[in-house]
Amino acid sequence: MKLLLLEDDEETANYLAKALRGEGHVVDIAQTGPDAIFLGASNKYDVLVLDRMVPAVDGLAVLRGLRAAGVQAPALFLTALGEISDRVEGLNAGGDDYLVKPFAASELVARIAALGRRRPVVETSGFITIGDLDIDLLKRAVTRAGRRIDLQQQEFKLLEYMARHVGQVVTRTMLLEHVWDFHFDPGTNLITSHISRLRGKIDRDFDVELIRTVRGVGYRLDAPV
Protein backbone atom coordinates (compact mmCIF):
# COMPACT_ATOMS: atom_id res chain seq x y z
CA MET A 1 0.00 0.00 0.00
CA LYS A 2 0.98 3.62 -0.40
CA LEU A 3 1.19 5.39 2.94
CA LEU A 4 1.59 8.98 4.07
CA LEU A 5 3.50 9.35 7.33
CA LEU A 6 3.41 12.64 9.23
CA GLU A 7 6.12 12.64 11.89
CA ASP A 8 8.22 15.66 12.84
CA ASP A 9 10.95 13.69 14.59
CA GLU A 10 13.33 12.63 11.81
CA GLU A 11 14.78 9.65 13.65
CA THR A 12 11.33 8.29 14.51
CA ALA A 13 10.05 8.93 10.99
CA ASN A 14 12.96 7.05 9.42
CA TYR A 15 12.58 4.16 11.88
CA LEU A 16 8.86 3.77 11.17
CA ALA A 17 9.30 4.20 7.43
CA LYS A 18 11.96 1.50 7.40
CA ALA A 19 9.67 -0.90 9.26
CA LEU A 20 6.77 -0.18 6.90
CA ARG A 21 8.88 -0.40 3.76
CA GLY A 22 10.12 -3.72 5.04
CA GLU A 23 6.52 -4.92 4.77
CA GLY A 24 6.37 -3.84 1.13
CA HIS A 25 4.65 -0.50 1.61
CA VAL A 26 5.55 2.71 -0.21
CA VAL A 27 6.00 5.46 2.36
CA ASP A 28 6.06 9.22 1.84
CA ILE A 29 7.26 11.19 4.86
CA ALA A 30 6.05 14.68 5.78
CA GLN A 31 7.67 16.43 8.73
CA THR A 32 5.25 19.36 8.92
CA GLY A 33 1.51 19.72 8.79
CA PRO A 34 1.44 21.85 5.63
CA ASP A 35 3.66 19.33 3.84
CA ALA A 36 1.28 16.53 4.89
CA ILE A 37 -1.75 18.44 3.61
CA PHE A 38 0.00 19.11 0.31
CA LEU A 39 1.05 15.50 -0.18
CA GLY A 40 -2.28 14.09 1.03
CA ALA A 41 -4.32 16.32 -1.24
CA SER A 42 -2.17 15.81 -4.33
CA ASN A 43 -1.57 12.05 -4.10
CA LYS A 44 -3.74 9.00 -3.56
CA TYR A 45 -2.82 7.16 -0.37
CA ASP A 46 -4.28 3.95 1.01
CA VAL A 47 -3.70 4.89 4.67
CA LEU A 48 -2.69 8.10 6.45
CA VAL A 49 -0.44 7.76 9.51
CA LEU A 50 -0.44 11.05 11.40
CA ASP A 51 1.51 12.11 14.47
CA ARG A 52 -1.01 14.14 16.42
CA MET A 53 1.48 16.37 18.29
CA VAL A 54 3.33 17.95 15.38
CA PRO A 55 4.04 21.66 16.13
CA ALA A 56 2.00 24.45 14.50
CA VAL A 57 -0.37 22.53 12.18
CA ASP A 58 -0.91 19.31 14.12
CA GLY A 59 -2.25 15.93 13.01
CA LEU A 60 -5.83 16.81 13.88
CA ALA A 61 -5.74 19.94 11.73
CA VAL A 62 -4.10 18.01 8.92
CA LEU A 63 -6.83 15.38 8.89
CA ARG A 64 -9.61 17.96 9.09
CA GLY A 65 -8.07 19.73 6.13
CA LEU A 66 -7.75 16.55 4.10
CA ARG A 67 -11.28 15.43 4.90
CA ALA A 68 -12.55 18.86 3.83
CA ALA A 69 -10.66 18.35 0.58
CA GLY A 70 -12.48 15.08 0.02
CA VAL A 71 -9.68 12.71 1.03
CA GLN A 72 -11.31 9.57 2.45
CA ALA A 73 -8.28 7.36 3.07
CA PRO A 74 -8.35 5.68 6.50
CA ALA A 75 -6.32 7.59 9.09
CA LEU A 76 -4.36 6.32 12.07
CA PHE A 77 -3.21 8.74 14.76
CA LEU A 78 0.08 8.27 16.59
CA THR A 79 0.13 10.12 19.89
CA ALA A 80 1.32 10.25 23.46
CA LEU A 81 -2.20 11.32 24.48
CA GLY A 82 -4.13 8.25 25.55
CA GLU A 83 -7.12 9.56 27.46
CA ILE A 84 -10.61 8.71 26.19
CA SER A 85 -11.29 12.42 25.55
CA ASP A 86 -8.18 12.56 23.36
CA ARG A 87 -9.28 9.51 21.42
CA VAL A 88 -12.78 10.91 20.96
CA GLU A 89 -11.34 14.19 19.69
CA GLY A 90 -9.23 12.34 17.16
CA LEU A 91 -12.14 10.22 15.99
CA ASN A 92 -14.36 13.28 15.70
CA ALA A 93 -11.75 14.79 13.42
CA GLY A 94 -12.22 11.88 11.03
CA GLY A 95 -9.65 9.42 12.38
CA ASP A 96 -10.19 5.67 12.15
CA ASP A 97 -7.73 4.33 14.70
CA TYR A 98 -5.48 5.50 17.48
CA LEU A 99 -2.11 4.17 18.61
CA VAL A 100 -0.61 5.47 21.83
CA LYS A 101 3.15 5.90 22.14
CA PRO A 102 5.27 4.01 22.93
CA PHE A 103 4.20 1.19 20.63
CA ALA A 104 5.82 -1.72 18.87
CA ALA A 105 6.43 -1.32 15.14
CA SER A 106 4.78 -4.70 14.64
CA GLU A 107 1.53 -3.34 16.13
CA LEU A 108 1.67 -0.34 13.81
CA VAL A 109 2.16 -2.65 10.83
CA ALA A 110 -0.78 -4.83 11.92
CA ARG A 111 -3.12 -1.88 12.42
CA ILE A 112 -2.25 -0.39 9.05
CA ALA A 113 -2.91 -3.75 7.42
CA ALA A 114 -6.32 -3.87 9.12
CA LEU A 115 -7.20 -0.38 7.90
CA GLY A 116 -6.10 -1.28 4.39
CA ARG A 117 -8.40 -4.31 4.32
CA ARG A 118 -11.49 -2.21 4.84
CA ARG A 119 -13.65 -2.01 1.79
CA PRO A 120 -14.69 1.49 0.88
CA VAL A 121 -18.36 2.30 0.86
CA VAL A 122 -19.83 2.27 -2.62
CA GLU A 123 -22.35 5.04 -3.22
CA THR A 124 -23.85 5.48 -6.65
CA SER A 125 -27.00 7.23 -7.77
CA GLY A 126 -28.62 7.31 -4.37
CA PHE A 127 -27.50 3.85 -3.26
CA ILE A 128 -25.02 2.83 -0.59
CA THR A 129 -23.75 -0.73 -0.73
CA ILE A 130 -21.70 -2.25 2.08
CA GLY A 131 -21.06 -5.93 1.56
CA ASP A 132 -24.50 -7.54 1.24
CA LEU A 133 -26.25 -4.50 2.77
CA ASP A 134 -27.99 -2.22 0.27
CA ILE A 135 -29.43 1.17 1.22
CA ASP A 136 -31.69 3.00 -1.23
CA LEU A 137 -31.44 6.63 -0.11
CA LEU A 138 -34.24 7.81 -2.37
CA LYS A 139 -36.81 5.15 -1.53
CA ARG A 140 -35.56 4.93 2.08
CA ALA A 141 -35.41 1.17 1.66
CA VAL A 142 -32.91 -1.31 3.07
CA THR A 143 -32.13 -4.90 2.15
CA ARG A 144 -29.52 -7.33 3.30
CA ALA A 145 -28.67 -10.36 1.19
CA GLY A 146 -31.82 -9.52 -0.76
CA ARG A 147 -34.02 -9.63 2.34
CA ARG A 148 -36.11 -6.52 3.01
CA ILE A 149 -35.51 -4.81 6.34
CA ASP A 150 -38.15 -2.42 7.65
CA LEU A 151 -36.73 0.52 9.59
CA GLN A 152 -38.42 3.36 11.36
CA GLN A 153 -37.46 6.88 10.26
CA GLN A 154 -34.91 7.49 12.99
CA GLU A 155 -33.43 4.03 12.56
CA PHE A 156 -32.92 4.74 8.87
CA LYS A 157 -31.22 8.06 9.63
CA LEU A 158 -28.96 6.30 12.12
CA LEU A 159 -28.03 3.58 9.62
CA GLU A 160 -27.44 6.11 6.85
CA TYR A 161 -25.11 8.16 9.04
CA MET A 162 -23.13 5.09 10.09
CA ALA A 163 -23.00 3.86 6.49
CA ARG A 164 -21.54 7.17 5.36
CA HIS A 165 -18.81 6.63 7.98
CA VAL A 166 -18.29 2.93 7.34
CA GLY A 167 -15.19 1.61 9.05
CA GLN A 168 -14.98 4.70 11.28
CA VAL A 169 -15.95 4.95 14.91
CA VAL A 170 -18.88 7.31 15.44
CA THR A 171 -19.18 8.71 18.94
CA ARG A 172 -22.37 9.34 20.89
CA THR A 173 -21.78 13.07 20.42
CA MET A 174 -21.55 12.66 16.64
CA LEU A 175 -24.79 10.66 16.60
CA LEU A 176 -26.64 13.13 18.80
CA GLU A 177 -25.57 16.05 16.63
CA HIS A 178 -26.04 14.53 13.19
CA VAL A 179 -28.92 12.06 13.64
CA TRP A 180 -31.01 13.78 16.31
CA ASP A 181 -29.76 17.36 15.84
CA PHE A 182 -29.10 17.53 19.58
CA HIS A 183 -26.19 19.69 20.68
CA PHE A 184 -26.40 18.50 24.25
CA ASP A 185 -26.45 15.13 25.96
CA PRO A 186 -30.02 14.34 27.03
CA GLY A 187 -28.61 11.89 29.55
CA THR A 188 -30.91 9.07 28.44
CA ASN A 189 -30.43 5.68 26.80
CA LEU A 190 -31.72 7.14 23.52
CA ILE A 191 -28.75 6.05 21.43
CA THR A 192 -28.27 2.73 23.17
CA SER A 193 -31.88 1.72 22.58
CA HIS A 194 -31.85 2.76 18.92
CA ILE A 195 -28.57 0.99 18.26
CA SER A 196 -29.95 -2.12 19.92
CA ARG A 197 -33.06 -2.12 17.72
CA LEU A 198 -31.05 -1.37 14.59
CA ARG A 199 -28.58 -4.12 15.38
CA GLY A 200 -31.45 -6.54 15.88
CA LYS A 201 -32.83 -5.75 12.44
CA ILE A 202 -29.54 -5.50 10.52
CA ASP A 203 -27.52 -8.29 12.08
CA ARG A 204 -30.07 -10.76 13.43
CA ASP A 205 -30.10 -14.03 11.52
CA PHE A 206 -26.88 -13.17 9.64
CA ASP A 207 -23.51 -14.82 10.20
CA VAL A 208 -21.49 -11.58 10.01
CA GLU A 209 -22.26 -8.69 12.36
CA LEU A 210 -21.90 -5.26 10.76
CA ILE A 211 -22.55 -3.03 13.79
CA ARG A 212 -19.82 -3.06 16.44
CA THR A 213 -19.59 -1.44 19.85
CA VAL A 214 -16.29 0.32 20.59
CA ARG A 215 -16.28 0.29 24.36
CA GLY A 216 -16.12 3.70 25.95
CA VAL A 217 -16.08 5.52 22.62
CA GLY A 218 -19.04 4.71 20.35
CA TYR A 219 -20.05 2.43 17.50
CA ARG A 220 -18.74 1.36 14.11
CA LEU A 221 -20.37 -0.11 11.01
CA ASP A 222 -17.86 -2.46 9.45
CA ALA A 223 -17.80 -3.71 5.89
CA PRO A 224 -17.29 -7.48 5.74
CA VAL A 225 -13.69 -8.45 5.02
Side-chain angles (χ1 to χ4, degrees), residues 1 8 21 40 51 59 94 114 118 127 142 154 183:
M1 291 189 290
D8 62 318
R21 287 166 180 153
D51 183 356
R118 291 182 182 176
F127 284 88
V142 177
Q154 210 63 20
H183 296 275

Side-chain angles (χ1 to χ4, degrees), residues 3-220:
L3 312 176
L4 173 62
L5 171 63
L6 169 62
E7 172 58 66
D8 62 318
D9 183 85
E10 184 174 359
E11 183 177 354
T12 301
N14 289 334
Y15 170 74
L16 294 178
K18 182 179 180 180
L20 294 170
R21 287 166 180 153
E23 296 295 322
H25 300 303
V26 175
V27 183
D28 288 342
I29 298 175
Q31 290 189 286
T32 69
D35 285 348
I37 292 174
F38 173 77
L39 288 172
S42 55
N43 294 274
K44 181 174 175 59
Y45 292 100
D46 297 298
V47 178
L48 310 172
V49 183
L50 306 173
D51 183 356
R52 183 171 165 179
M53 300 300 290
V54 173
V57 181
D58 65 10
L60 283 178
V62 168
L63 187 56
R64 288 192 182 104
L66 291 176
R67 291 290 187 247
V71 176
Q72 296 299 317
L76 168 66
F77 279 116
L78 307 177
T79 181
L81 304 174
E83 298 296 327
I84 288 179
S85 59
D86 300 317
R87 294 164 58 194
V88 169
E89 188 177 17
L91 295 169
N92 280 336
D96 300 274
D97 201 358
Y98 217 89
L99 190 54
V100 178
K101 298 178 179 180
F103 55 82
S106 57
E107 183 176 4
L108 174 62
V109 169
R111 292 200 183 208
I112 288 174
L115 288 175
R117 286 196 296 269
R118 291 182 182 176
R119 296 179 184 179
V121 58
V122 177
E123 180 176 353
T124 57
S125 304
F127 284 88
I128 296 177
T129 298
I130 302 170
D132 58 358
L133 179 69
D134 293 307
I135 305 171
D136 186 331
L137 300 175
L138 300 180
K139 295 182 178 178
R140 316 291 281 181
V142 177
T143 61
R144 183 168 182 191
R147 185 188 307 177
R148 176 177 169 178
I149 297 174
D150 293 321
L151 299 180
Q152 295 180 2
Q153 180 179 354
Q154 210 63 20
E155 294 168 348
F156 186 90
K157 289 179 64 177
L158 178 58
L159 177 63
E160 179 184 354
Y161 184 79
M162 297 182 72
R164 292 187 183 278
H165 295 78
V166 66
Q168 302 176 17
V169 177
V170 293
T171 66
R172 292 174 58 86
T173 299
M174 293 166 70
L175 294 175
L176 285 171
E177 290 182 355
H178 297 283
V179 178
W180 278 270
D181 200 25
F182 287 174
H183 296 275
F184 62 95
D185 188 343
T188 67
N189 66 346
L190 178 71
I191 292 177
T192 304
S193 62
H194 275 78
I195 286 287
S196 178
R197 287 202 299 271
L198 183 60
R199 178 180 277 140
K201 294 180 179 181
I202 295 298
D203 285 337
R204 182 182 300 153
D205 300 329
F206 293 94
D207 293 334
V208 178
E209 293 185 352
L210 302 180
I211 299 175
R212 306 280 185 178
T213 298
V214 182
R215 190 177 300 277
V217 181
Y219 305 93
R220 187 178 66 229

